[in-house]
Amino acid sequence: MKKLQFGLSGMGRIGKVHLQNVQQHSATVSIKGVYPANIKAKKWVEEQGVNHFYETFEDLVNDPEIDAVIIASPTAFHAEQIILAAQAGKALFAEKPIDLDREKVTKVLQVLQQTHVPFFLGFNRRFDPSIEQIKKNILNGHVGTPEIIKITSRDPAPPPLTYIPSSGGLFLDMAIHDFDMACHLMDQKVTEVYSTASVFGDPNIGKLGDIDTAVTTLTFENGAIAVIDNSRHAAYGYDQRIEVFGSKGLCGMDNHRINQSFLANAKGMHQPVPPNFFIERYAASYAKEMTLFVEHLLHKTKPSVGAIAGLRALDLALAAQQSVAEKKAITVSI
Amino acid sequence: MKKLQFGLSGMGRIGKVHLQNVQQHSATVSIKGVYPANIKAKKWVEEQGVNHFYETFEDLVNDPEIDAVIIASPTAFHAEQIILAAQAGKALFAEKPIDLDREKVTKVLQVLQQTHVPFFLGFNRRFDPSIEQIKKNILNGHVGTPEIIKITSRDPAPPPLTYIPSSGGLFLDMAIHDFDMACHLMDQKVTEVYSTASVFGDPNIGKLGDIDTAVTTLTFENGAIAVIDNSRHAAYGYDQRIEVFGSKGLCGMDNHRINQSFLANAKGMHQPVPPNFFIERYAASYAKEMTLFVEHLLHKTKPSVGAIAGLRALDLALAAQQSVAEKKAITVSI
Amino acid sequence: MKKLQFGLSGMGRIGKVHLQNVQQHSATVSIKGVYPANIKAKKWVEEQGVNHFYETFEDLVNDPEIDAVIIASPTAFHAEQIILAAQAGKALFAEKPIDLDREKVTKVLQVLQQTHVPFFLGFNRRFDPSIEQIKKNILNGHVGTPEIIKITSRDPAPPPLTYIPSSGGLFLDMAIHDFDMACHLMDQKVTEVYSTASVFGDPNIGKLGDIDTAVTTLTFENGAIAVIDNSRHAAYGYDQRIEVFGSKGLCGMDNHRINQSFLANAKGMHQPVPPNFFIERYAASYAKEMTLFVEHLLHKTKPSVGAIAGLRALDLALAAQQSVAEKKAITVSI
Amino acid sequence: MKKLQFGLSGMGRIGKVHLQNVQQHSATVSIKGVYPANIKAKKWVEEQGVNHFYETFEDLVNDPEIDAVIIASPTAFHAEQIILAAQAGKALFAEKPIDLDREKVTKVLQVLQQTHVPFFLGFNRRFDPSIEQIKKNILNGHVGTPEIIKITSRDPAPPPLTYIPSSGGLFLDMAIHDFDMACHLMDQKVTEVYSTASVFGDPNIGKLGDIDTAVTTLTFENGAIAVIDNSRHAAYGYDQRIEVFGSKGLCGMDNHRINQSFLANAKGMHQPVPPNFFIERYAASYAKEMTLFVEHLLHKTKPSVGAIAGLRALDLALAAQQSVAEKKAITVSI
């Protein structure tokens, strides 16, 4: 059988993760080439055994041998590249967010609907083994109907100040993963969004119009409630926890630790911190989403997380922004 | 030295706990007598070595030998009994809430201010060893300024339906402890209260105008945020957890377990449930508050938790009720 | 119904624990009096509401009103007092060990067999809630046939040097509880005992002929193996853990902690130490064994742990001593 | 800089792990080829981008371009291949054990001493992140002098019966890792070895002269004691735990879990099993040892774990075998 040919756009830290994960499927997939050509990471790419570099993104999408394109370029290029690739008939794996602008996202959705290309949006956390287990527990009825969902999502440190203006702010840049998670686990329409937010760390974050601390409450159609708390400065590392409470019990996910060692002394029992970095913490989910993407292409099945999920998470993030700005609960149907 | 003479009003389950805890101070305190006389628990009281029963509450407060009165009668009697005892010059330990009615509570506060009797309000959880440790960690700066406080407080089962109409509802009956806890740990004025609530269990709870599920967000003056989630039906037992997140770290309290056994088999690692009942779970805090009350009397020091704390928690509970009723965030200064 | 009348011999720290635990049964049991009369603890005893003091132990056992005697005197008096009380027809609750001398223990057994008085030996740990759960898991077949039992038993600090000469040494003084635990959980004859031991702390312990560190392996008739490790200086507190491994899984007991608080910071996740003292750690088991003793007397049932268990644990401790002295495995049938 | 050229011998499950780990060093290392040529795994190897297959092991060691040889062939070939490669001047990474026969191991040591080739023995567990942390804690004095070491090492299932006759038995096949671990952590001579062992699972294991359950006690020169317990049938998965107890505290390693999910319900709190397979559990240590091997070659430093460690662990395993056979403690100086 002929192998699938992949092209990759973007060779930053996430692009590299995807390249290595694709190579785990060397039995069925080849990486034909990478765009852009003049990347800093060129040497690294060649060491991985990939030697073809496209001069332009158009060259990549117009290469007739390419079956699928992986988009891990900066957010500002996502929408445009998705549209070009979809119009060229390529299957697509795209990093989130599709765009920070609701109109552009809507435009992307239209193109995807018209072109019918397979599209997988990289909400990788859905494929974390612990989160897959939570979802399984819900579907198997182990906790009954979910009534309260709690998501703790705290970064160890804020992004560079220079990144903040183009980031979309805490809700669109960071909490969007958590909004997707709440929707993924609850599978209900949101009817009300309330957020309260502050700046506790670097005051420049506030001067740039952003926040570093937020608590968001989502009320769902059936009365279920999700609470998401975010911070940009968890001193103890990257804090990623989930709880789903229902009539029959509670399921969830604890933090990982960098290793399973412990030390007990006169001061108490001590255990190591969580992994500090999302790429490390979610290594398994990045690998799993790529495995699923390849399987979807091989078996011509539909990806479970598409562009609609991206729009939904964006809408929740925008409502959260509005709630903070207007200091009130926002009625929605998302 | 002459021993302190205590009189007890109310011999329900909490009254019994207080009686036994007072007896731990037999070196310095005697229980002179108990009101009412015709209680079901009379035999039990006599077995504890207490043989005097007052016919009326007035008999108790007018007994010149009595130094202090412990009020553990039904909520409806609290305000009246506190006022009578205070006017008789007795030191007071009273169960919460002072009353469900804000005006009555204000009246009690006035009497207490006029009479200057020592008054200790039974927000026992403040004296739980784990919660004392949280407070110490905050005061010692171990987590920096608290930015996000999360309180999970879930009962294993709702109260009897017959109790609900006089209970004041979930916020005044149950969450009031959690509101006090948020204030105790944060030590800041609350500026905004937002609650969203549902009925997921017995629909009769809803018919009685109450709820069994609620998530409340408190925003504090300095931008800090507290989130309290409540449920009346935690299948796995009484769930009592706290987290305090600040710039330097996170401190908190995990659930207890009924014992420290474990079982590992092909299905995983299994550990026992939490204690099912608040009297069992907070046994140490009930004992500690009584020890502190006795010490305050012996050393003529002021109790750390007085009637003001009761009013404050009540006001937050009332604001939460209003938020649910009006489906909006309530601006306050509490 | 007339209450049972108890007499207590010995009012050290364990005697006090027993007195308070008996008082929990005030509905069915009265404490008639305490021996000796001139105890330092007299004031404390009177504060507990007990006012009768016997001049001699003979006075106590000859008091015809006394139904049962609790022996918590120093070890050197145990055998003699048990014999006197048994010959006076009193039911007996005795602290372990019966004696450090095998012959004396055998003599006690004879007297108990002749007099048929109810006899409960205070191997309290058997009644710890976690250990009861382990035993239940074994009996219910949850781990299959036990194949490997591991007992960790480490004191936070050695006893005073002055106590060591009369203590019987680490195996008879401390590990004897663990030997009883191994027998209790395994319910098989021991065929081989091997111990290896050292002094790592105060070298004076070695000069007094004792050890502070030991690992003992017991091989049972069916091939099952128990390993007990002991130390006299666990810096992190009193370490009491058990594991039972069998064909179907593993069950066991973790350490308690002084509270359930936690602190996470840049150095990791920190939790409090275990309780430092056996009376604190095993408070529930001391209470439970007294409850059972009272129930045995009320319902005329036979205590589950009698003098034979004391002899068996002593024999294992003596074999462990011999193994260390002779540097070889000892073949036994215990 | 020219890349290092590696040749691999053996393409079973461990050989594949090594191949993939070497490919992580593609910046500095190339895999020149693999022996044998007619392997079942040929397709898999080619998919990894390796296309050269040696007809004989001699072809591999005589290839002048090869700098280093990785030996992951069946145990019976280890000694012979190590000798051939060493005599050809190749640097060596070899899987343990060197051989089951003490004389052959001694011969290998002689050749390695004569040829001075770099030699790294694959006691991979030493490089597990948790175990590295334990070692660090010991070296940093965090637990004081180690006094008691406990190693729990239990396989989820016995090997196929057909493998047992050539395996060397439980001590040489399985416990040898644990003996190495005890030596690695204690860094003291062993003076006494005592083992007691049984067959609790498939009785055919016993008929083949092997055991499936063993507890081994090692006494060290300074009085420290190590206890190793082994089983071939841990129903709950691969159980790998370590504890090091010293005068200042306790450090160690808990089991991993297949994910960090949890489920709490009326029966208790449930968490997933450990990884079931050593390759999964020790994935990080396999990767780390290869990283270190490459670094040793690049920087011409000496591997920390050489052939002497293999001989030492073998000698302890042989002494454990003797102890079981002769039912006595064996005096040694290992």
Side-chain angles (χ1 to χ4, degrees):
Chain A
M1 202 191 73
K2 206 180 147 294
K3 289 187 188 182
L4 294 168
Q5 302 290 314
F6 277 28
L8 278 76
S9 167
M11 216 24 65
R13 56 193 186 185
I14 298 283
K16 289 178 178 177
V17 168
H18 290 318
L19 186 146
Q20 290 190 308
N21 284 332
V22 172
Q23 288 194 318
Q24 299 304 309
H25 300 280
S26 50
T28 52
V29 181
S30 278
I31 298 176
K32 173 80 189 287
V34 165
Y35 165 83
N38 57 345
I39 48 172
K40 276 193 270 175
K42 186 167 186 181
K43 188 163 168 256
W44 181 89
V45 172
E46 286 172 344
E47 280 166 14
Q48 312 309 309
V50 177
N51 295 296
H52 190 74
F53 294 85
Y54 294 99
E55 286 299 315
T56 67
F57 184 76
E58 285 73 10
D59 289 353
L60 193 166
V61 295
N62 292 330
D63 181 341
E65 285 192 49
I66 290 288
D67 298 298
V69 177
I70 292 171
I71 292 176
S73 49
T75 297
F77 298 99
H78 287 184
E80 176 192 342
Q81 293 189 347
I82 293 169
I83 290 172
L84 283 172
Q87 288 171 340
K90 308 303 186 194
L92 271 159
F93 179 101
E95 265 308 309
K96 43 68 44 186
I98 294 174
D99 199 274
L100 302 177
D101 178 65
R102 200 186 187 282
E103 267 188 66
K104 277 201 189 169
V105 177
T106 314
K107 172 75 180 138
V108 166
L109 257 83
Q110 284 171 356
V111 174
L112 289 172
Q113 277 162 353
Q114 291 157 4
T115 55
H116 292 98
V117 295
F119 183 84
F120 195 119
L121 187 65
F123 275 135
N124 63 295
R125 291 186 197 174
R126 293 190 181 203
F127 309 103
D128 176 76
S130 303
I131 294 174
E132 288 189 320
Q133 186 60 52
I134 293 174
K135 186 70 184 173
K136 241 180 258 173
N137 286 339
I138 295 172
L139 293 176
N140 293 343
H142 289 332
V143 295
T145 302
E147 303 173 0
I148 302 172
I149 289 188
K150 293 168 71 178
I151 300 175
T152 296
S153 182
R154 299 172 186 153
D155 283 348
L161 285 174
T162 53
Y163 170 73
I164 286 180
S166 67
S167 72
L170 181 142
F171 290 119
L172 273 74
D173 180 50
M174 175 187 178
I176 201 163
H177 272 296
D178 308 308
F179 291 128
D180 177 62
M181 190 49 52
C183 296
H184 174 55
L185 296 176
M186 196 64 97
D187 211 11
Q188 281 273 330
K189 279 217 165 180
V190 176
T191 57
E192 197 166 291
V193 178
Y194 172 76
S195 285
T196 178
S198 308
V199 180
F200 274 107
D202 184 347
N204 289 311
I205 291 173
K207 287 180 192 154
L208 291 167
D210 201 0
I211 51 175
D212 64 9
T213 306
V215 173
T216 302
T217 305
L218 309 176
T219 306
F220 291 85
E221 223 167 14
N222 69 344
I225 307 159
V227 181
I228 297 161
D229 71 275
N230 297 111
S231 168
R232 289 285 201 185
H233 49 256
Y236 50 94
Y238 189 41
D239 188 352
Q240 292 284 301
R241 286 172 292 152
I242 295 175
E243 284 189 25
V244 179
F245 172 82
S247 54
K248 291 190 189 162
L250 177 77
C251 70
M253 166 175 91
D254 279 328
N255 275 319
H256 288 212
R257 294 181 213 136
I258 53 168
N259 63 57
Q260 299 310 110
S261 72
F262 62 82
L263 173 66
N265 57 25
K267 290 194 174 169
M269 164 66 87
H270 316 288
Q271 292 176 310
V273 290
N276 199 52
F277 194 37
F278 70 96
I279 289 185
E280 215 179 331
R281 167 59 188 86
Y282 285 114
S285 69
Y286 282 111
K288 182 71 183 283
E289 67 178 0
M290 197 49 70
T291 297
L292 290 171
F293 180 59
V294 171
E295 286 177 4
H296 287 309
L297 298 186
L298 291 173
H299 307 123
K300 307 201 185 304
T301 51
K302 194 175 155 63
S304 62
V305 48
I308 295 282
L311 181 63
R312 199 175 172 204
L314 177 67
D315 280 343
L316 290 170
L318 293 170
Q321 272 187 344
Q322 186 191 348
S323 175
V324 170
E326 303 181 4
K327 285 179 150 295
K328 64 176 193 188
I330 309 299
T331 302
V332 297
S333 176
I334 297 175
Chain B
M1 200 192 75
K2 210 182 145 294
K3 289 188 187 181
L4 295 167
Q5 302 290 315
F6 276 29
L8 278 75
S9 167
M11 216 25 65
R13 56 192 185 185
I14 298 282
K16 288 179 179 177
V17 168
H18 290 319
L19 187 146
Q20 290 191 308
N21 285 331
V22 173
Q23 288 194 317
Q24 299 304 309
H25 300 280
S26 51
T28 53
V29 181
S30 278
I31 297 175
K32 173 80 189 287
V34 164
Y35 164 82
N38 57 346
I39 49 174
K40 277 193 269 175
K42 187 168 186 179
K43 187 161 168 260
W44 182 88
V45 171
E46 286 172 345
E47 280 167 14
Q48 312 309 309
V50 177
N51 294 295
H52 189 74
F53 294 86
Y54 295 98
E55 286 300 315
T56 67
F57 184 77
E58 286 73 10
D59 288 353
L60 193 166
V61 295
N62 293 328
D63 181 340
E65 285 193 49
I66 290 288
D67 298 301
V69 178
I70 292 171
I71 293 176
S73 49
T75 298
F77 298 99
H78 288 184
E80 175 192 342
Q81 293 189 347
I82 293 170
I83 290 171
L84 283 172
Q87 288 171 340
K90 308 302 186 194
L92 272 158
F93 179 102
E95 266 308 309
K96 43 70 39 188
I98 294 174
D99 198 90
L100 302 176
D101 178 65
R102 199 184 189 283
E103 267 187 68
K104 277 203 191 169
V105 176
T106 313
K107 171 77 179 136
V108 166
L109 257 82
Q110 284 170 356
V111 173
L112 289 172
Q113 276 162 353
Q114 291 157 3
T115 56
H116 292 98
V117 295
F119 182 82
F120 196 118
L121 186 64
F123 275 135
N124 63 294
R125 291 186 198 176
R126 293 190 181 203
F127 309 104
D128 176 76
S130 303
I131 295 174
E132 288 189 320
Q133 186 59 51
I134 294 174
K135 186 70 184 173
K136 240 179 261 172
N137 286 339
I138 295 172
L139 293 176
N140 293 342
H142 289 332
V143 295
T145 301
E147 302 173 0
I148 302 173
I149 288 188
K150 293 168 71 178
I151 299 175
T152 295
S153 182
R154 299 172 186 153
D155 283 347
L161 285 175
T162 53
Y163 169 74
I164 286 180
S166 68
S167 72
L170 181 142
F171 290 119
L172 272 75
D173 181 50
M174 176 186 178
I176 200 163
H177 272 296
D178 307 309
F179 292 128
D180 177 62
M181 190 49 53
C183 295
H184 173 55
L185 296 176
M186 197 64 96
D187 211 11
Q188 281 273 330
K189 280 218 164 181
V190 176
T191 57
E192 197 167 289
V193 177
Y194 172 76
S195 283
T196 178
S198 308
V199 179
F200 275 106
D202 183 347
N204 289 310
I205 291 173
K207 287 180 192 152
L208 291 167
D210 202 0
I211 51 176
D212 64 8
T213 306
V215 173
T216 302
T217 306
L218 309 177
T219 307
F220 292 85
E221 223 167 14
N222 69 344
I225 308 159
V227 181
I228 297 160
D229 71 276
N230 296 111
S231 167
R232 288 285 202 185
H233 49 256
Y236 50 94
Y238 189 42
D239 189 353
Q240 292 285 298
R241 287 172 293 153
I242 295 175
E243 284 189 26
V244 179
F245 172 83
S247 54
K248 291 190 190 161
L250 177 77
C251 70
M253 167 175 91
D254 280 328
N255 275 319
H256 288 212
R257 296 182 211 136
I258 53 168
N259 63 57
Q260 300 309 112
S261 71
F262 62 83
L263 174 66
N265 57 25
K267 291 193 173 170
M269 165 64 88
H270 316 287
Q271 292 176 308
V273 289
N276 199 51
F277 194 39
F278 70 95
I279 288 184
E280 214 180 331
R281 167 61 187 85
Y282 285 114
S285 69
Y286 281 112
K288 181 71 181 284
E289 67 179 0
M290 197 50 70
T291 296
L292 290 172
F293 180 59
V294 170
E295 286 176 4
H296 287 309
L297 298 186
L298 291 173
H299 307 124
K300 305 199 185 305
T301 51
K302 195 178 156 60
S304 62
V305 48
I308 296 282
L311 181 62
R312 198 176 173 205
L314 177 67
D315 280 343
L316 290 171
L318 293 169
Q321 273 187 343
Q322 186 190 349
S323 174
V324 170
E326 303 182 3
K327 286 181 150 292
K328 65 176 193 188
I330 309 298
T331 301
V332 298
S333 176
I334 298 174
Chain C
M1 201 193 72
K2 206 180 147 295
K3 288 189 189 180
L4 293 168
Q5 303 290 314
F6 276 28
L8 278 77
S9 167
M11 218 19 70
R13 56 192 186 186
I14 298 282
K16 289 178 178 177
V17 169
H18 289 318
L19 187 147
Q20 290 190 309
N21 284 332
V22 172
Q23 288 193 318
Q24 300 304 311
H25 301 279
S26 51
T28 52
V29 181
S30 279
I31 298 176
K32 173 78 190 288
V34 164
Y35 165 81
N38 57 346
I39 49 172
K40 278 193 269 177
K42 187 167 187 180
K43 189 163 168 256
W44 182 89
V45 172
E46 286 172 344
E47 280 166 15
Q48 311 309 310
V50 176
N51 295 295
H52 190 74
F53 295 84
Y54 295 99
E55 286 300 315
T56 67
F57 184 76
E58 284 73 11
D59 288 354
L60 192 166
V61 296
N62 292 329
D63 181 340
E65 286 192 47
I66 291 288
D67 297 300
V69 178
I70 292 170
I71 292 176
S73 48
T75 298
F77 297 99
H78 287 184
E80 177 192 339
Q81 294 188 347
I82 293 169
I83 289 172
L84 283 171
Q87 287 171 341
K90 308 303 187 194
L92 271 159
F93 179 101
E95 266 307 311
K96 45 66 44 187
I98 295 174
D99 199 273
L100 302 177
D101 178 66
R102 198 182 191 284
E103 267 186 67
K104 279 202 190 170
V105 177
T106 314
K107 172 73 181 139
V108 167
L109 256 83
Q110 284 171 358
V111 173
L112 290 172
Q113 276 162 354
Q114 289 156 7
T115 55
H116 291 98
V117 295
F119 182 84
F120 195 119
L121 187 64
F123 275 135
N124 63 295
R125 292 186 197 173
R126 293 190 180 201
F127 309 104
D128 176 78
S130 304
I131 295 174
E132 288 189 319
Q133 186 60 52
I134 293 174
K135 186 69 186 173
K136 241 181 258 173
N137 285 340
I138 295 172
L139 292 176
N140 293 343
H142 288 334
V143 294
T145 301
E147 302 172 2
I148 301 173
I149 289 187
K150 292 167 72 177
I151 300 174
T152 296
S153 183
R154 298 171 186 154
D155 283 348
L161 285 175
T162 52
Y163 169 72
I164 286 180
S166 68
S167 72
L170 182 143
F171 289 118
L172 272 74
D173 181 50
M174 176 188 178
I176 201 162
H177 272 296
D178 308 308
F179 292 128
D180 177 62
M181 190 48 54
C183 295
H184 173 55
L185 296 175
M186 195 64 95
D187 212 11
Q188 280 273 330
K189 280 220 165 178
V190 177
T191 57
E192 198 166 290
V193 177
Y194 172 76
S195 286
T196 176
S198 308
V199 180
F200 275 107
D202 184 346
N204 289 310
I205 292 173
K207 286 180 194 156
L208 291 166
D210 202 359
I211 52 176
D212 64 8
T213 305
V215 173
T216 302
T217 305
L218 308 177
T219 307
F220 291 85
E221 224 167 12
N222 70 344
I225 306 160
V227 180
I228 298 160
D229 71 275
N230 297 111
S231 167
R232 289 285 202 186
H233 49 256
Y236 50 94
Y238 189 42
D239 188 352
Q240 292 284 300
R241 287 173 292 154
I242 295 175
E243 286 189 24
V244 179
F245 172 83
S247 53
K248 292 190 189 161
L250 177 77
C251 69
M253 166 175 93
D254 279 329
N255 274 320
H256 289 212
R257 295 182 211 135
I258 53 168
N259 62 57
Q260 298 310 109
S261 71
F262 61 84
L263 174 66
N265 57 24
K267 291 193 175 170
M269 165 65 87
H270 315 287
Q271 293 175 310
V273 290
N276 200 50
F277 194 35
F278 70 95
I279 289 185
E280 215 180 330
R281 166 61 188 85
Y282 285 113
S285 68
Y286 281 111
K288 181 72 181 285
E289 66 178 0
M290 197 51 70
T291 297
L292 290 172
F293 180 59
V294 171
E295 287 177 4
H296 287 309
L297 297 186
L298 292 173
H299 307 123
K300 306 202 186 303
T301 50
K302 195 176 153 61
S304 62
V305 48
I308 295 282
L311 181 62
R312 199 175 171 204
L314 177 65
D315 280 343
L316 290 170
L318 293 170
Q321 273 187 344
Q322 187 191 348
S323 174
V324 170
E326 302 183 2
K327 288 179 149 294
K328 65 176 193 188
I330 309 297
T331 302
V332 298
S333 175
I334 297 176
Chain D
M1 201 193 72
K2 207 180 147 292
K3 287 189 188 181
L4 293 169
Q5 303 290 315
F6 276 28
L8 278 77
S9 167
M11 216 25 65
R13 56 194 185 183
I14 298 282
K16 290 178 178 176
V17 169
H18 290 318
L19 187 146
Q20 289 190 309
N21 285 333
V22 173
Q23 288 193 318
Q24 299 305 310
H25 300 281
S26 51
T28 52
V29 180
S30 280
I31 297 177
K32 172 79 191 288
V34 164
Y35 165 81
N38 56 346
I39 49 172
K40 278 193 270 177
K42 187 168 184 180
K43 185 160 171 258
W44 182 89
V45 172
E46 285 172 344
E47 280 166 16
Q48 312 310 308
V50 177
N51 295 296
H52 189 73
F53 294 85
Y54 295 98
E55 286 300 315
T56 67
F57 185 76
E58 285 73 10
D59 288 353
L60 193 166
V61 295
N62 292 329
D63 181 340
E65 285 193 49
I66 291 288
D67 297 300
V69 178
I70 292 172
I71 293 176
S73 49
T75 297
F77 298 99
H78 287 183
E80 177 193 340
Q81 294 188 346
I82 294 169
I83 289 172
L84 283 171
Q87 288 171 340
K90 308 303 187 192
L92 272 159
F93 179 101
E95 267 307 311
K96 46 64 46 186
I98 295 174
D99 199 274
L100 302 176
D101 178 66
R102 198 182 190 284
E103 266 186 68
K104 278 202 191 171
V105 177
T106 314
K107 172 75 180 138
V108 166
L109 257 83
Q110 284 171 357
V111 173
L112 290 171
Q113 276 162 354
Q114 290 157 4
T115 56
H116 291 98
V117 295
F119 182 84
F120 195 119
L121 187 63
F123 275 134
N124 63 294
R125 292 186 197 173
R126 293 190 181 202
F127 309 103
D128 176 77
S130 304
I131 295 174
E132 288 189 318
Q133 186 60 53
I134 293 174
K135 186 69 185 175
K136 243 180 256 171
N137 285 340
I138 295 172
L139 292 177
N140 293 343
H142 289 332
V143 294
T145 301
E147 302 173 1
I148 301 173
I149 288 187
K150 292 168 72 178
I151 299 174
T152 295
S153 183
R154 298 172 186 153
D155 284 347
L161 285 175
T162 53
Y163 169 72
I164 286 181
S166 68
S167 72
L170 182 143
F171 289 118
L172 272 74
D173 180 51
M174 175 188 179
I176 201 163
H177 272 296
D178 308 307
F179 291 127
D180 177 62
M181 190 49 53
C183 294
H184 173 55
L185 296 176
M186 196 62 96
D187 210 12
Q188 280 273 329
K189 280 218 164 180
V190 177
T191 57
E192 197 167 290
V193 178
Y194 173 76
S195 286
T196 177
S198 308
V199 179
F200 274 107
D202 183 347
N204 288 312
I205 292 173
K207 286 180 192 155
L208 291 166
D210 202 0
I211 52 176
D212 64 8
T213 305
V215 173
T216 302
T217 306
L218 309 177
T219 306
F220 291 85
E221 222 166 15
N222 70 343
I225 307 160
V227 180
I228 297 160
D229 72 274
N230 297 111
S231 167
R232 289 284 202 186
H233 49 256
Y236 50 94
Y238 188 42
D239 189 352
Q240 293 285 300
R241 287 173 292 153
I242 295 175
E243 286 189 25
V244 179
F245 171 83
S247 54
K248 292 191 190 161
L250 178 76
C251 70
M253 166 175 93
D254 279 329
N255 274 320
H256 289 212
R257 296 183 210 134
I258 53 168
N259 63 57
Q260 298 310 111
S261 72
F262 61 84
L263 174 66
N265 57 24
K267 291 194 175 170
M269 165 64 86
H270 315 287
Q271 293 176 310
V273 290
N276 199 50
F277 194 38
F278 69 94
I279 288 184
E280 216 179 332
R281 166 61 188 86
Y282 285 114
S285 69
Y286 281 112
K288 181 71 181 285
E289 66 178 3
M290 197 51 69
T291 297
L292 290 172
F293 180 58
V294 171
E295 286 177 4
H296 287 308
L297 298 185
L298 292 173
H299 307 122
K300 306 201 184 306
T301 51
K302 196 178 154 60
S304 63
V305 48
I308 296 282
L311 181 62
R312 199 176 171 202
L314 177 67
D315 280 343
L316 289 170
L318 293 170
Q321 273 188 343
Q322 186 190 351
S323 175
V324 170
E326 303 182 3
K327 288 181 151 292
K328 65 177 192 187
I330 308 298
T331 301
V332 298
S333 176
I334 297 175

